[in-house]
Amino acid sequence: MAEHQPWDPGLQIERTTLAWLRTALAFTVSLLVLLKLISHHSAMAAVVCALATLPTSGVVAWLVWRRHHRSDRRLRAKAPLPGGALPAATAVLAMLAGATGAVYVLFA
């Protein structure tokens, strides 16, 4: 008799991926609003902050995509799930967002 699982184990990976994407999108939108506010006071500061933060947002989104595909493959192979590059990149993005907020406070 085949063993029946009451849930699909792949759904956990889907939920986790969606949560990471939501986090990356929230940071990106918040940064865009903050950069718009900074640009009212100093265009150069806004450009510098944008060059530091927006590529990091892209890297986080790419890491989410990569982690999703690796997790899916590893789940099927019953191998350990991927490491902590995505949480580390998200922490860096959070620190850059905080630094961008500090720039806004200094220029406002």
Side-chain angles (χ1 to χ4, degrees):
M1 185 168 151
E3 185 178 316
H4 177 69
Q5 290 183 344
W7 71 89
D8 180 8
L11 292 179
Q12 180 180 4
I13 293 172
E14 292 290 328
R15 285 190 309 267
T16 304
T17 298
L18 290 173
W20 280 113
L21 280 175
R22 230 180 5 254
T23 301
L25 183 61
F27 271 119
T28 303
V29 169
S30 300
L31 283 168
L32 289 173
V33 169
L34 196 53
L35 290 170
K36 176 69 174 170
L37 291 172
I38 292 172
S39 69
H40 290 296
H41 300 287
S42 172
M44 182 58 81
V47 168
V48 169
C49 289
L51 290 175
T53 57
L54 295 180
T56 308
S57 290
V59 167
V60 168
W62 177 76
L63 285 171
V64 169
W65 177 82
R66 188 182 81 166
R67 182 181 177 119
H68 173 74
H69 288 287
R70 283 185 173 182
S71 296
D72 193 40
R73 278 187 267 131
R74 288 180 181 195
L75 181 68
R76 291 179 190 164
K78 300 205 183 318
L81 293 179
L86 178 59
T90 305
V92 169
L93 181 59
M95 290 175 22
L96 288 172
T100 303
V103 168
Y104 174 67
V105 169
L106 291 174
F107 280 101

